[in-house]
Amino acid sequence: MYISSAASPVPPAQCAQIAQDAAVRNSRDDVTGLLLFNGRRFLQVLEGPRQNVERIYERIGRDGRHRALVMLRRQDIAAREFGDWGMAYDDPAHPSESLRHKVDALLDKAGPSTRAHFIGSAEMHRP
Ligand SMILES: Cc1cc2nc3c(=O)[nH]c(=O)nc-3n(C[C@H](O)[C@H](O)[C@H](O)COP(=O)(O)O)c2cc1C
């Protein structure tokens, strides 16, 4: 799980496209996850075989659309939190209650500063 800052303003449609493209590519590597965007910052979770996750993270780090990546958590997990989604994306047009619950739980564990970064957008996206 990392956070980063958008290099320039990213419209929601472009963020949805990034998530869709990611889902297609990540599925080849058995990687699932979550992508949140609050207008300024991304928060992404990548889950899967360690080597694959590391390789994808390196590639993402070279993407000029964002900068200042900060790794928040890198750990072995017993089970995936976002295994049901290729790359879950909090789409205001198609809100998902079960995703909402998982995101809330994740942000609860993430610590106050990460939470503060994203609570605003989470509230805005609530149906
Ligand atoms: C915030 C953000 C998240 C991304 N997440 C992924 C991802 O999970 N998987 C992926 O393959 N590419 C992701 N990308 C796109 C990659 O940075 C990169 O553009 C893409 O993998 C194509 O890489 P290539 O041009 O080296 O083939 C993401 C980009 C951004 C800006």
Side-chain angles (χ1 to χ4, degrees), residues 2-24:
Y2 72 87
I3 51 172
S4 65
S5 300
S8 55
V10 178
Q14 193 186 327
C15 189
Q17 190 63 50
I18 291 174
Q20 272 176 35
D21 293 345
V24 172

Side-chain angles (χ1 to χ4, degrees), residues 2 22 25-26 42 44 46 56 59-60 63 65 87:
Y2 72 87
R25 273 193 295 266
N26 294 354
F42 293 102
Q44 188 171 28
L46 294 164
I56 291 169
R59 205 168 61 209
I60 294 171
D63 195 314
R65 290 174 289 185
M87 181 54 61

Side-chain angles (χ1 to χ4, degrees), residues 47-60:
E47 302 174 320
R50 180 182 286 264
Q51 279 189 335
N52 300 359
V53 169
E54 301 282 356
R55 195 173 55 237
I56 291 169
Y57 180 70
E58 260 181 42
R59 205 168 61 209
I60 294 171

Side-chain angles (χ1 to χ4, degrees), residues 110-121:
S113 74
T114 307
R115 205 157 54 232
H117 275 306
F118 285 93
I119 251 25
S121 71

Side-chain angles (χ1 to χ4, degrees), residues 34-50:
L34 163 76
L35 180 64
L36 294 183
F37 184 61
N38 70 0
R40 275 184 49 223
R41 298 195 135 228
F42 293 102
L43 180 150
Q44 188 171 28
V45 178
L46 294 164
E47 302 174 320
R50 180 182 286 264

Side-chain angles (χ1 to χ4, degrees), residues 71-85:
M71 177 81 76
L72 296 179
R73 257 200 262 164
R74 179 193 238 129
Q75 63 190 44
D76 291 324
I77 49 173
R80 295 173 193 242
E81 297 257 17
F82 300 96
D84 297 341
W85 287 274

